[in-house]
């Protein structure tokens, strides 16, 4: 079992990128294995870790299809709909409240 190369923050060589960096380039890892690891030291806890992928082996992001767009819209609509008043409140309802803020602030009878 081979170990991954570990690089310090801002010291990774060219040709390697994180998932977010790949996405900014319009790419995705495309099933490739992690090529290296990036670590950012922290004072009181363990280091922050990011996985790096090879840019030349990355594939283009799949295009958004009408079916995927409809499914995403339905999921977001469900996250914005209050289960109490059944209205689209225009923001994602906090999971800690499980209802919209006006319904949560109403006095319980």
């Amino acid at each position: 079992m081979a170990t991954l190369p570990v690089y310090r923050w801002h010291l990774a060589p060219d040709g390697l990128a994180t998932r977010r960096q790949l996405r900014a380039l319009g790419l995705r890892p495309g099933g490739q294995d992690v090529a290296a690891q990036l670590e950012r030291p922290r004072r009181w806890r363990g280091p922050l870790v990011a996985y790096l992928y090879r840019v030349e082996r990355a594939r283009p992001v799949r295009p958004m299809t009408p079916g995927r767009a409809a499914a995403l819209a339905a999921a977001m609509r469900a996250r914005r709909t209050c289960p109490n008043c059944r209205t689209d409140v225009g923001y994602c309802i906090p999971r800690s409240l499980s209802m919209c803020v006006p319904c949560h602030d109403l006095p319980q009878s």
Side-chain angles (χ1 to χ4, degrees):
M1 182 169 141
T3 59
L4 292 175
V6 177
Y7 298 104
R8 294 205 33 135
W9 201 251
H10 294 295
L11 297 177
D14 291 336
L16 296 177
T18 63
R19 283 182 179 267
R20 285 188 179 194
Q21 291 168 337
L22 288 176
R23 181 59 74 150
L25 296 171
L27 301 171
R28 62 186 170 96
Q32 65 174 300
D33 292 330
V34 175
Q37 188 172 324
L38 188 67
E39 287 188 354
R40 178 180 177 203
R42 294 192 291 183
R43 188 173 300 230
W44 305 113
R45 291 181 277 170
L48 288 175
V49 175
Y51 297 114
L52 299 171
Y53 300 91
R54 298 189 188 285
V55 175
E56 70 270 4
R57 294 180 61 193
R59 295 186 180 155
V61 175
R62 294 183 191 128
M64 182 66 75
T65 63
R68 287 177 64 196
L72 181 60
M76 292 306 294
R77 189 170 40 258
R79 289 184 65 192
R80 291 189 316 259
T81 303
C82 176
N84 287 354
C85 60
R86 303 272 185 220
T87 58
D88 186 343
V89 292
Y91 56 87
C92 288
I93 296 173
R95 292 178 62 189
S96 60
L97 301 180
S98 69
M99 62 184 75
C100 67
V101 175
C103 288
H104 183 265
D105 289 343
L106 286 176
Q108 301 295 325
S109 54

